[in-house]
PDB file of all heavy atoms in Angstrom:
ATOM      1  N   VAL O 121      -9.787  19.669 -28.312  1.00 92.00           N
ATOM      2  CA  VAL O 121      -9.791  18.199 -28.414  1.00 92.00           C
ATOM      3  C   VAL O 121      -9.562  17.573 -27.044  1.00 92.00           C
ATOM      4  O   VAL O 121     -10.283  16.653 -26.646  1.00 92.00           O
ATOM      5  CB  VAL O 121      -8.708  17.722 -29.411  1.00 92.00           C
ATOM      6  CG1 VAL O 121      -8.472  16.236 -29.281  1.00 92.00           C
ATOM      7  CG2 VAL O 121      -9.136  18.055 -30.831  1.00 92.00           C
ATOM      8  N   PHE O 122      -8.610  18.095 -26.289  1.00 93.00           N
ATOM      9  CA  PHE O 122      -8.297  17.432 -25.021  1.00 93.00           C
ATOM     10  C   PHE O 122      -9.287  17.749 -23.929  1.00 93.00           C
ATOM     11  O   PHE O 122      -9.448  16.987 -22.990  1.00 93.00           O
ATOM     12  CB  PHE O 122      -6.860  17.740 -24.596  1.00 93.00           C
ATOM     13  CG  PHE O 122      -5.885  16.827 -25.263  1.00 93.00           C
ATOM     14  CD1 PHE O 122      -5.351  17.154 -26.504  1.00 93.00           C
ATOM     15  CD2 PHE O 122      -5.551  15.612 -24.697  1.00 93.00           C
ATOM     16  CE1 PHE O 122      -4.492  16.293 -27.134  1.00 93.00           C
ATOM     17  CE2 PHE O 122      -4.692  14.746 -25.332  1.00 93.00           C
ATOM     18  CZ  PHE O 122      -4.160  15.099 -26.554  1.00 93.00           C
ATOM     19  N   ARG O 123      -9.967  18.892 -24.038  1.00 91.00           N
ATOM     20  CA  ARG O 123     -11.008  19.149 -23.044  1.00 91.00           C
ATOM     21  C   ARG O 123     -12.288  18.417 -23.421  1.00 91.00           C
ATOM     22  O   ARG O 123     -13.090  18.083 -22.569  1.00 91.00           O
ATOM     23  CB  ARG O 123     -11.316  20.646 -22.966  1.00 91.00           C
ATOM     24  CG  ARG O 123     -10.246  21.393 -22.221  1.00 91.00           C
ATOM     25  CD  ARG O 123     -10.745  22.702 -21.728  1.00 91.00           C
ATOM     26  NE  ARG O 123     -11.622  23.367 -22.710  1.00 91.00           N
ATOM     27  CZ  ARG O 123     -12.281  24.476 -22.443  1.00 91.00           C
ATOM     28  NH1 ARG O 123     -12.201  24.996 -21.247  1.00 91.00           N
ATOM     29  NH2 ARG O 123     -13.018  25.042 -23.352  1.00 91.00           N
ATOM     30  N   GLY O 124     -12.456  18.174 -24.712  1.00 89.00           N
ATOM     31  CA  GLY O 124     -13.744  17.673 -25.169  1.00 89.00           C
ATOM     32  C   GLY O 124     -13.896  16.164 -25.178  1.00 89.00           C
ATOM     33  O   GLY O 124     -15.012  15.658 -25.247  1.00 89.00           O
ATOM     34  N   SER O 125     -12.784  15.402 -25.107  1.00 89.00           N
ATOM     35  CA  SER O 125     -12.969  13.982 -25.328  1.00 89.00           C
ATOM     36  C   SER O 125     -12.815  13.115 -24.072  1.00 89.00           C
ATOM     37  O   SER O 125     -12.975  11.905 -24.144  1.00 89.00           O
ATOM     38  CB  SER O 125     -12.017  13.488 -26.428  1.00 89.00           C
ATOM     39  OG  SER O 125     -10.704  13.744 -26.057  1.00 89.00           O
ATOM     40  N   GLY O 126     -12.524  13.711 -22.934  1.00 89.00           N
ATOM     41  CA  GLY O 126     -12.509  12.881 -21.727  1.00 89.00           C
ATOM     42  C   GLY O 126     -11.161  12.232 -21.463  1.00 89.00           C
ATOM     43  O   GLY O 126     -10.520  11.701 -22.360  1.00 89.00           O
ATOM     44  N   LEU O 127     -10.749  12.278 -20.206  1.00 93.00           N
ATOM     45  CA  LEU O 127      -9.429  11.799 -19.827  1.00 93.00           C
ATOM     46  C   LEU O 127      -9.264  10.290 -20.027  1.00 93.00           C
ATOM     47  O   LEU O 127      -8.244   9.832 -20.527  1.00 93.00           O
ATOM     48  CB  LEU O 127      -9.162  12.162 -18.351  1.00 93.00           C
ATOM     49  CG  LEU O 127      -7.895  11.614 -17.744  1.00 93.00           C
ATOM     50  CD1 LEU O 127      -6.680  12.100 -18.511  1.00 93.00           C
ATOM     51  CD2 LEU O 127      -7.773  12.034 -16.288  1.00 93.00           C
ATOM     52  N   LEU O 128     -10.304   9.543 -19.655  1.00 93.00           N
ATOM     53  CA  LEU O 128     -10.145   8.080 -19.701  1.00 93.00           C
ATOM     54  C   LEU O 128      -9.956   7.623 -21.149  1.00 93.00           C
ATOM     55  O   LEU O 128      -9.110   6.762 -21.418  1.00 93.00           O
ATOM     56  CB  LEU O 128     -11.399   7.423 -19.087  1.00 93.00           C
ATOM     57  CG  LEU O 128     -11.238   5.963 -18.733  1.00 93.00           C
ATOM     58  CD1 LEU O 128     -10.083   5.750 -17.791  1.00 93.00           C
ATOM     59  CD2 LEU O 128     -12.521   5.433 -18.128  1.00 93.00           C
ATOM     60  N   VAL O 129     -10.711   8.205 -22.074  1.00 92.00           N
ATOM     61  CA  VAL O 129     -10.548   7.861 -23.485  1.00 92.00           C
ATOM     62  C   VAL O 129      -9.114   8.132 -23.909  1.00 92.00           C
ATOM     63  O   VAL O 129      -8.474   7.311 -24.567  1.00 92.00           O
ATOM     64  CB  VAL O 129     -11.503   8.694 -24.363  1.00 92.00           C
ATOM     65  CG1 VAL O 129     -11.373   8.310 -25.804  1.00 92.00           C
ATOM     66  CG2 VAL O 129     -12.937   8.546 -23.897  1.00 92.00           C
ATOM     67  N   GLN O 130      -8.605   9.318 -23.520  1.00 93.00           N
ATOM     68  CA  GLN O 130      -7.254   9.690 -23.922  1.00 93.00           C
ATOM     69  C   GLN O 130      -6.225   8.709 -23.358  1.00 93.00           C
ATOM     70  O   GLN O 130      -5.295   8.290 -24.034  1.00 93.00           O
ATOM     71  CB  GLN O 130      -6.942  11.096 -23.450  1.00 93.00           C
ATOM     72  CG  GLN O 130      -7.727  12.143 -24.201  1.00 93.00           C
ATOM     73  CD  GLN O 130      -7.952  13.399 -23.396  1.00 93.00           C
ATOM     74  OE1 GLN O 130      -7.208  13.666 -22.448  1.00 93.00           O
ATOM     75  NE2 GLN O 130      -8.969  14.157 -23.738  1.00 93.00           N
ATOM     76  N   MET O 131      -6.446   8.342 -22.086  1.00 93.00           N
ATOM     77  CA  MET O 131      -5.480   7.444 -21.462  1.00 93.00           C
ATOM     78  C   MET O 131      -5.450   6.097 -22.164  1.00 93.00           C
ATOM     79  O   MET O 131      -4.391   5.564 -22.490  1.00 93.00           O
ATOM     80  CB  MET O 131      -5.836   7.286 -19.991  1.00 93.00           C
ATOM     81  CG  MET O 131      -4.629   7.062 -19.120  1.00 93.00           C
ATOM     82  SD  MET O 131      -5.102   7.100 -17.400  1.00 93.00           S
ATOM     83  CE  MET O 131      -4.834   8.784 -16.978  1.00 93.00           C
ATOM     84  N   PHE O 132      -6.654   5.544 -22.405  1.00 92.00           N
ATOM     85  CA  PHE O 132      -6.710   4.257 -23.114  1.00 92.00           C
ATOM     86  C   PHE O 132      -6.172   4.391 -24.519  1.00 92.00           C
ATOM     87  O   PHE O 132      -5.548   3.481 -25.040  1.00 92.00           O
ATOM     88  CB  PHE O 132      -8.166   3.760 -23.165  1.00 92.00           C
ATOM     89  CG  PHE O 132      -8.604   3.119 -21.888  1.00 92.00           C
ATOM     90  CD1 PHE O 132      -9.809   3.469 -21.295  1.00 92.00           C
ATOM     91  CD2 PHE O 132      -7.831   2.146 -21.274  1.00 92.00           C
ATOM     92  CE1 PHE O 132     -10.219   2.887 -20.120  1.00 92.00           C
ATOM     93  CE2 PHE O 132      -8.242   1.562 -20.090  1.00 92.00           C
ATOM     94  CZ  PHE O 132      -9.422   1.923 -19.521  1.00 92.00           C
ATOM     95  N   TRP O 133      -6.409   5.556 -25.119  1.00 91.00           N
ATOM     96  CA  TRP O 133      -5.944   5.739 -26.481  1.00 91.00           C
ATOM     97  C   TRP O 133      -4.420   5.731 -26.513  1.00 91.00           C
ATOM     98  O   TRP O 133      -3.816   5.060 -27.350  1.00 91.00           O
ATOM     99  CB  TRP O 133      -6.480   7.059 -27.037  1.00 91.00           C
ATOM    100  CG  TRP O 133      -6.461   7.106 -28.528  1.00 91.00           C
ATOM    101  CD1 TRP O 133      -7.440   6.651 -29.359  1.00 91.00           C
ATOM    102  CD2 TRP O 133      -5.414   7.588 -29.356  1.00 91.00           C
ATOM    103  NE1 TRP O 133      -7.063   6.823 -30.651  1.00 91.00           N
ATOM    104  CE2 TRP O 133      -5.833   7.398 -30.691  1.00 91.00           C
ATOM    105  CE3 TRP O 133      -4.160   8.165 -29.114  1.00 91.00           C
ATOM    106  CZ2 TRP O 133      -5.034   7.769 -31.765  1.00 91.00           C
ATOM    107  CZ3 TRP O 133      -3.387   8.520 -30.192  1.00 91.00           C
ATOM    108  CH2 TRP O 133      -3.821   8.319 -31.498  1.00 91.00           C
ATOM    109  N   PHE O 134      -3.801   6.439 -25.572  1.00 90.00           N
ATOM    110  CA  PHE O 134      -2.330   6.432 -25.526  1.00 90.00           C
ATOM    111  C   PHE O 134      -1.796   5.051 -25.206  1.00 90.00           C
ATOM    112  O   PHE O 134      -0.724   4.675 -25.622  1.00 90.00           O
ATOM    113  CB  PHE O 134      -1.823   7.423 -24.482  1.00 90.00           C
ATOM    114  CG  PHE O 134      -1.835   8.846 -24.959  1.00 90.00           C
ATOM    115  CD1 PHE O 134      -2.540   9.808 -24.287  1.00 90.00           C
ATOM    116  CD2 PHE O 134      -1.161   9.197 -26.117  1.00 90.00           C
ATOM    117  CE1 PHE O 134      -2.577  11.120 -24.736  1.00 90.00           C
ATOM    118  CE2 PHE O 134      -1.176  10.501 -26.582  1.00 90.00           C
ATOM    119  CZ  PHE O 134      -1.885  11.459 -25.884  1.00 90.00           C
ATOM    120  N   PHE O 135      -2.557   4.320 -24.415  1.00 90.00           N
ATOM    121  CA  PHE O 135      -2.067   3.018 -23.955  1.00 90.00           C
ATOM    122  C   PHE O 135      -2.278   1.928 -25.007  1.00 90.00           C
ATOM    123  O   PHE O 135      -1.407   1.111 -25.249  1.00 90.00           O
ATOM    124  CB  PHE O 135      -2.778   2.647 -22.647  1.00 90.00           C
ATOM    125  CG  PHE O 135      -2.225   1.431 -22.002  1.00 90.00           C
ATOM    126  CD1 PHE O 135      -0.914   1.404 -21.535  1.00 90.00           C
ATOM    127  CD2 PHE O 135      -2.989   0.290 -21.857  1.00 90.00           C
ATOM    128  CE1 PHE O 135      -0.395   0.289 -20.928  1.00 90.00           C
ATOM    129  CE2 PHE O 135      -2.462  -0.842 -21.254  1.00 90.00           C
ATOM    130  CZ  PHE O 135      -1.181  -0.848 -20.788  1.00 90.00           C
ATOM    131  N   TYR O 136      -3.479   1.930 -25.624  1.00 88.00           N
ATOM    132  CA  TYR O 136      -3.808   0.826 -26.543  1.00 88.00           C
ATOM    133  C   TYR O 136      -3.649   1.210 -28.017  1.00 88.00           C
ATOM    134  O   TYR O 136      -3.193   0.402 -28.808  1.00 88.00           O
ATOM    135  CB  TYR O 136      -5.258   0.377 -26.330  1.00 88.00           C
ATOM    136  CG  TYR O 136      -5.495  -0.382 -25.068  1.00 88.00           C
ATOM    137  CD1 TYR O 136      -6.380   0.102 -24.120  1.00 88.00           C
ATOM    138  CD2 TYR O 136      -4.866  -1.607 -24.834  1.00 88.00           C
ATOM    139  CE1 TYR O 136      -6.626  -0.602 -22.946  1.00 88.00           C
ATOM    140  CE2 TYR O 136      -5.099  -2.305 -23.666  1.00 88.00           C
ATOM    141  CZ  TYR O 136      -5.975  -1.804 -22.725  1.00 88.00           C
ATOM    142  OH  TYR O 136      -6.216  -2.500 -21.578  1.00 88.00           O
ATOM    143  N   ALA O 137      -4.084   2.432 -28.366  1.00 86.00           N
ATOM    144  CA  ALA O 137      -4.179   2.752 -29.791  1.00 86.00           C
ATOM    145  C   ALA O 137      -2.880   3.304 -30.350  1.00 86.00           C
ATOM    146  O   ALA O 137      -2.479   2.954 -31.459  1.00 86.00           O
ATOM    147  CB  ALA O 137      -5.301   3.755 -30.023  1.00 86.00           C
ATOM    148  N   LEU O 138      -2.188   4.113 -29.580  1.00 86.00           N
ATOM    149  CA  LEU O 138      -0.955   4.731 -30.071  1.00 86.00           C
ATOM    150  C   LEU O 138       0.099   3.698 -30.490  1.00 86.00           C
ATOM    151  O   LEU O 138       0.720   3.844 -31.541  1.00 86.00           O
ATOM    152  CB  LEU O 138      -0.385   5.686 -29.020  1.00 86.00           C
ATOM    153  CG  LEU O 138       0.605   6.718 -29.521  1.00 86.00           C
ATOM    154  CD1 LEU O 138      -0.093   7.700 -30.455  1.00 86.00           C
ATOM    155  CD2 LEU O 138       1.243   7.466 -28.366  1.00 86.00           C
ATOM    156  N   PRO O 139       0.287   2.629 -29.690  1.00 82.00           N
ATOM    157  CA  PRO O 139       1.275   1.622 -30.094  1.00 82.00           C
ATOM    158  C   PRO O 139       0.948   1.008 -31.461  1.00 82.00           C
ATOM    159  O   PRO O 139       1.846   0.721 -32.257  1.00 82.00           O
ATOM    160  CB  PRO O 139       1.175   0.557 -28.996  1.00 82.00           C
ATOM    161  CG  PRO O 139       0.616   1.261 -27.834  1.00 82.00           C
ATOM    162  CD  PRO O 139      -0.285   2.309 -28.381  1.00 82.00           C
ATOM    163  N   VAL O 140      -0.358   0.818 -31.740  1.00 81.00           N
ATOM    164  CA  VAL O 140      -0.750   0.261 -33.028  1.00 81.00           C
ATOM    165  C   VAL O 140      -0.452   1.219 -34.147  1.00 81.00           C
ATOM    166  O   VAL O 140       0.080   0.865 -35.206  1.00 81.00           O
ATOM    167  CB  VAL O 140      -2.262  -0.076 -33.015  1.00 81.00           C
ATOM    168  CG1 VAL O 140      -2.668  -0.755 -34.326  1.00 81.00           C
ATOM    169  CG2 VAL O 140      -2.610  -0.937 -31.829  1.00 81.00           C
ATOM    170  N   LEU O 141      -0.767   2.491 -33.884  1.00 82.00           N
ATOM    171  CA  LEU O 141      -0.681   3.512 -34.916  1.00 82.00           C
ATOM    172  C   LEU O 141       0.776   3.805 -35.302  1.00 82.00           C
ATOM    173  O   LEU O 141       1.114   3.916 -36.461  1.00 82.00           O
ATOM    174  CB  LEU O 141      -1.366   4.790 -34.419  1.00 82.00           C
ATOM    175  CG  LEU O 141      -1.847   5.760 -35.464  1.00 82.00           C
ATOM    176  CD1 LEU O 141      -2.807   5.079 -36.418  1.00 82.00           C
ATOM    177  CD2 LEU O 141      -2.524   6.946 -34.787  1.00 82.00           C
ATOM    178  N   PHE O 142       1.640   3.960 -34.306  1.00 82.00           N
ATOM    179  CA  PHE O 142       3.001   4.392 -34.588  1.00 82.00           C
ATOM    180  C   PHE O 142       4.043   3.337 -34.247  1.00 82.00           C
ATOM    181  O   PHE O 142       5.226   3.595 -34.323  1.00 82.00           O
ATOM    182  CB  PHE O 142       3.322   5.685 -33.839  1.00 82.00           C
ATOM    183  CG  PHE O 142       2.525   6.841 -34.311  1.00 82.00           C
ATOM    184  CD1 PHE O 142       1.632   7.461 -33.470  1.00 82.00           C
ATOM    185  CD2 PHE O 142       2.645   7.274 -35.614  1.00 82.00           C
ATOM    186  CE1 PHE O 142       0.874   8.527 -33.923  1.00 82.00           C
ATOM    187  CE2 PHE O 142       1.890   8.332 -36.076  1.00 82.00           C
ATOM    188  CZ  PHE O 142       1.003   8.961 -35.221  1.00 82.00           C
ATOM    189  N   ASP O 143       3.551   2.168 -33.808  1.00 79.00           N
ATOM    190  CA  ASP O 143       4.474   1.097 -33.509  1.00 79.00           C
ATOM    191  C   ASP O 143       5.489   1.490 -32.429  1.00 79.00           C
ATOM    192  O   ASP O 143       6.654   1.122 -32.484  1.00 79.00           O
ATOM    193  CB  ASP O 143       5.227   0.666 -34.780  1.00 79.00           C
ATOM    194  CG  ASP O 143       5.668  -0.790 -34.674  1.00 79.00           C
ATOM    195  OD1 ASP O 143       4.971  -1.527 -33.960  1.00 79.00           O
ATOM    196  OD2 ASP O 143       6.685  -1.151 -35.286  1.00 79.00           O
ATOM    197  N   ILE O 144       5.036   2.315 -31.472  1.00 80.00           N
ATOM    198  CA  ILE O 144       5.895   2.538 -30.314  1.00 80.00           C
ATOM    199  C   ILE O 144       5.138   2.093 -29.077  1.00 80.00           C
ATOM    200  O   ILE O 144       3.927   2.297 -28.958  1.00 80.00           O
ATOM    201  CB  ILE O 144       6.308   4.034 -30.134  1.00 80.00           C
ATOM    202  CG1 ILE O 144       5.119   4.939 -30.433  1.00 80.00           C
ATOM    203  CG2 ILE O 144       7.537   4.365 -30.946  1.00 80.00           C
ATOM    204  CD1 ILE O 144       5.299   6.325 -29.916  1.00 80.00           C
ATOM    205  N   ARG O 145       5.864   1.510 -28.151  1.00 80.00           N
ATOM    206  CA  ARG O 145       5.206   1.014 -26.955  1.00 80.00           C
ATOM    207  C   ARG O 145       5.510   1.993 -25.822  1.00 80.00           C
ATOM    208  O   ARG O 145       6.663   2.229 -25.486  1.00 80.00           O
ATOM    209  CB  ARG O 145       5.737  -0.376 -26.632  1.00 80.00           C
ATOM    210  CG  ARG O 145       4.970  -1.019 -25.548  1.00 80.00           C
ATOM    211  CD  ARG O 145       4.535  -2.451 -25.882  1.00 80.00           C
ATOM    212  NE  ARG O 145       3.336  -2.723 -25.097  1.00 80.00           N
ATOM    213  CZ  ARG O 145       2.123  -2.702 -25.588  1.00 80.00           C
ATOM    214  NH1 ARG O 145       1.939  -2.431 -26.847  1.00 80.00           N
ATOM    215  NH2 ARG O 145       1.090  -2.943 -24.807  1.00 80.00           N
ATOM    216  N   LEU O 146       4.461   2.590 -25.240  1.00 82.00           N
ATOM    217  CA  LEU O 146       4.662   3.476 -24.109  1.00 82.00           C
ATOM    218  C   LEU O 146       4.567   2.668 -22.827  1.00 82.00           C
ATOM    219  O   LEU O 146       3.733   1.797 -22.703  1.00 82.00           O
ATOM    220  CB  LEU O 146       3.593   4.569 -24.082  1.00 82.00           C
ATOM    221  CG  LEU O 146       3.617   5.626 -25.168  1.00 82.00           C
ATOM    222  CD1 LEU O 146       2.505   6.625 -24.938  1.00 82.00           C
ATOM    223  CD2 LEU O 146       4.960   6.332 -25.197  1.00 82.00           C
ATOM    224  N   GLU O 147       5.463   2.967 -21.895  1.00 88.00           N
ATOM    225  CA  GLU O 147       5.306   2.412 -20.549  1.00 88.00           C
ATOM    226  C   GLU O 147       3.961   2.871 -20.003  1.00 88.00           C
ATOM    227  O   GLU O 147       3.551   4.010 -20.255  1.00 88.00           O
ATOM    228  CB  GLU O 147       6.418   2.952 -19.651  1.00 88.00           C
ATOM    229  CG  GLU O 147       7.776   2.310 -19.864  1.00 88.00           C
ATOM    230  CD  GLU O 147       7.787   0.902 -19.290  1.00 88.00           C
ATOM    231  OE1 GLU O 147       7.458   0.741 -18.103  1.00 88.00           O
ATOM    232  OE2 GLU O 147       8.111  -0.025 -20.050  1.00 88.00           O
ATOM    233  N   PRO O 148       3.275   2.000 -19.235  1.00 89.00           N
ATOM    234  CA  PRO O 148       1.994   2.436 -18.674  1.00 89.00           C
ATOM    235  C   PRO O 148       2.107   3.761 -17.935  1.00 89.00           C
ATOM    236  O   PRO O 148       1.267   4.657 -18.115  1.00 89.00           O
ATOM    237  CB  PRO O 148       1.635   1.312 -17.703  1.00 89.00           C
ATOM    238  CG  PRO O 148       2.348   0.115 -18.209  1.00 89.00           C
ATOM    239  CD  PRO O 148       3.573   0.611 -18.911  1.00 89.00           C
TER     240      PRO O 148
END
Side-chain angles (χ1 to χ4, degrees):
Chain O
V121 166
F122 276 88
R123 284 200 320 173
S125 59
L127 174 59
L128 195 57
V129 182
Q130 290 153 22
M131 212 172 267
F132 281 131
W133 201 86
F134 281 122
F135 188 64
Y136 288 120
L138 199 66
V140 184
L141 202 57
F142 294 116
D143 207 28
I144 41 163
R145 189 131 206 102
L146 291 182
E147 284 286 306

